[in-house]
Amino acid sequence: MINAEIDDKNCKITLKGIDNKAKDMSTAMKIIAKDLQSSIEYNFEVGGRYSSKDSYLIGALYEPR
């Protein structure tokens, strides 16, 4: 008969830490909100994200006359 013992103490500690951080998402949401605000402000400054013929969306649809 073979007996094996696995010490998963460090794994349990790591998973508990991840679980605790996942319960409070306020820090992640603040970072996401700040990035979103910066993106929106930039879009207003340049007149819209897809307003240029060089942009990804409009550039694909742009047909020169």
Side-chain angles (χ1 to χ4, degrees), residues 8-57:
D8 62 350
K9 180 180 177 182
N10 289 336
C11 182
K12 287 182 180 181
I13 291 170
T14 301
L15 290 174
K16 185 66 176 170
I18 292 170
D19 184 50
N20 288 338
K21 288 187 177 187
K23 289 178 183 174
D24 180 12
M25 297 300 292
S26 61
T27 301
M29 290 300 170
K30 287 177 186 175
I31 293 169
I32 292 168
K34 186 175 181 180
D35 287 347
L36 183 58
Q37 179 182 5
S38 296
S39 177
I40 291 169
E41 288 174 356
Y42 174 76
N43 288 340
F44 275 102
E45 288 173 11
V46 300
R49 181 174 299 236
Y50 302 114
S51 60
S52 167
K53 69 177 183 176
D54 298 325
S55 70
Y56 173 73
L57 181 62

